[in-house]
Amino acid sequence: MRKTWMTRITLAGAMAMAMVGLMASPASADNKSLGDSHGSFTFIDDGDMFEICDEKADGHGVIGRLVLVKAGIDGSFNYVLILDDGGDAGCDKQGFNIGNLHSYRLEYWWEGNKGDTFQATGWFNE
C-alpha cells in the first residue's frame, strides 16, 4: 500500500512540474499579427520580417513596436524596432533577426486614440 501511495505522489509531482515548465516557457515564433480596421502589424517568421500597414485614410497613422525583454536580468525591456505608417500607399517592412536568447512581443497602436487601440501579443522567441 505504501509503495502505491509513493508512486502516485511521485507521478503527481512530476506532472505538476511538467505543467509549470510548459506554462513558463514563451511561445515559439510563428507568424503573428495585430490590428483593427485602421491597420495591422505583422511578424512573418520566415525571414524575420515585420510589416506595418495603415489601411484607412483618416489622418492618423499606425505604429508597430517589437519589444525585447532582457531575460534573467531584471525584467526590463527595450523597444528594438519601431515602425510607423502614416497613410501612404502600401505597407512599410523591415527585417530584424530574433532568436532564443530573449523574449519578444509585438505592440500595435492607432495614433488617433492610443488608449483605446493598444494591442499586444504574448511573449515569444524562436
Side-chain angles (χ1 to χ4, degrees):
M1 181 76 154
R2 180 181 164 110
K3 191 173 186 180
T4 303
W5 176 251
M6 291 303 290
T7 302
R8 288 181 182 171
I9 289 175
T10 302
L11 182 59
M15 289 173 52
M17 291 301 290
M19 289 299 293
V20 168
L22 288 173
M23 292 185 328
S25 63
S28 65
D30 288 324
N31 293 350
K32 300 188 181 317
S33 188
L34 299 171
D36 55 20
S37 64
H38 302 283
S40 63
F41 183 45
T42 303
F43 166 63
I44 303 157
D45 187 31
D46 185 17
D48 289 353
M49 186 63 62
F50 296 85
E51 179 180 68
I52 187 80
C53 298
D54 185 354
E55 298 167 1
K56 192 174 253 185
D58 58 7
H60 302 287
V62 293
I63 297 173
R65 299 191 309 190
L66 176 65
V67 182
L68 171 147
V69 66
K70 296 178 179 177
I73 297 176
D74 59 4
S76 64
F77 58 89
N78 293 331
Y79 298 107
V80 293
L81 180 67
I82 300 174
L83 296 173
D84 62 8
D85 191 24
D88 57 341
C91 302
D92 295 335
K93 291 183 181 183
Q94 186 171 338
F96 183 87
N97 186 28
I98 65 169
N100 290 322
L101 297 178
H102 301 288
S103 293
Y104 300 86
R105 80 174 181 190
L106 301 180
E107 295 180 348
Y108 165 86
W109 279 275
W110 171 57
E111 290 183 304
N113 187 350
K114 293 180 185 176
D116 290 338
T117 60
F118 173 79
Q119 296 178 29
T121 64
W123 295 101
F124 66 93
N125 65 19
E126 294 241 285

